[in-house]
Every structure is written in structure tokens, then in C-alpha cells.
Amino acid sequence: YRDRAEEILKEGKMPLLLGGEHLVTLAAVRAVAGTISGTFILSILIAHADLRDDYLGAHLSHACVIRRCYDILGDGRIHQFCIRSGEREEFRFAKEHTDFHPFTFECLEETVQELARKQVPVYFTIDLDCLDPSVFPGTGTPEAGGVSFLELLDAIRKVSELNIVGADVNELAPMLDPSGVSTATACKVVRELLLALAK
């Protein structure tokens, strides 16, 4: 993933990764960090903090992916929205090191305005488990209390106003939703993201 993302970036284009496991984000963030000069921001719509230093002894896991991105970016460069699950230590870490917004997209518009003023490059990752399981059950770690599809769509349109240098949409597990609704929803999210970024 990283090598291909770097190739795309060097051609002056924007990589868009699809998953699968949220760990794909780390490869793209490494590619952006190694290709684009200057500090960039990671903006995240996600249900879980994913700030563990390790998960079951592994430092590379969907539960650690944002912590590994932090290792690259450092303080104040990660903005997390919709978080509604995490260990106590993750919440403590977030309070000290990230811009952390639990449960909703509250303050998203203000964050977008601030980042727009700074004109910084932004990497945008969408973990589909930010959606409520009643809307999107086909994910490996469903978490009750998520946002609606229309709320997510509005958030995507807001964030897409920024200087997006890369993006991904992840955590679809089609086999966990035989109805096909989650797959259809994921396809719609990707479509709307592409349309928003094309403006």
C-alpha cells in the first residue's frame, strides 16, 4: 500500500485507499509523510479511539493504528470525531495528545474552518464503524450509538473542503452482513467522497 500510495503522490495525484482493515491508513500516512513537505493533519471519523500502544501483544493492529500515526505526526495533528469506545488509557492519551471529540461531529465545522485558515495538507480517513450498526452492521467491531448516513455525508462534505492530500474508507466486512446493505452503504460513501473531493 505504501509504495503504491507514494507513486500516486509523486505523480501529483491523491491516493484513495479502500479497506478492509483500518491499518491501511498507516501505510498511506507513512507515504504522505515521506512525500509531502511540511506538517500535515490526520482527520478521522471513527467509532473507536484506536490509540492503544499494543493489542494482544501486537503493535500493528486496527486497535493501534491511530497511535502509530501519532508516532509519525506528534501532538495536535490528529482530529478524531465520533469516538464512543476505548480504554481508559486511550482517553487519557487523547486528552493530552489529540483533538478528541466523542460521540458526534460536534465542533467539526469549527475544526474545518481552523484548518482551512492554516491551509495545511490533510489526510482524511473514514472508518465506517462511525455509522450506527443499525445503518452499517457489516463491520468487525460494531459500536452502538453511531451517526446516521446523512450525518456522515454532511461531515464528508465539510472535511472535503480542506486541502485533502490522501484519503481512505475502511472497515467494511461484507460477510458479516448477508443483506448487502453495508456493502451498498460503503459504495455510496465512496461515491459521495469522490464527488465531494472533485469540486
Side-chain angles (χ1 to χ4, degrees), residues 109 112-113 116 154-164 196-197:
E109 189 163 352
V112 167
Q113 290 173 356
D154 183 60
I156 287 171
R157 288 171 174 165
K158 283 186 173 73
V159 176
S160 295
E161 296 171 6
L162 296 170
N163 176 24
I164 304 296
L197 292 171

Side-chain angles (χ1 to χ4, degrees), residues 17 31 35 71 78 98 104 106-107 110 136 138 141 149 163 194-195 197:
L17 286 75
T35 308
D71 293 343
I78 295 177
T98 76
T104 69
E106 187 178 355
C107 297
E110 292 88 340
F136 189 82
T141 50
F149 176 80
N163 176 24
L194 287 169
L195 289 171
L197 292 171

Side-chain angles (χ1 to χ4, degrees), residues 14 29 91 102 108 112 114-115 118 125 138 160 174:
M14 187 200 78
V29 167
F91 281 81
L108 178 63
V112 167
E114 177 187 350
L115 295 178
K118 294 179 179 177
T125 177
S160 295

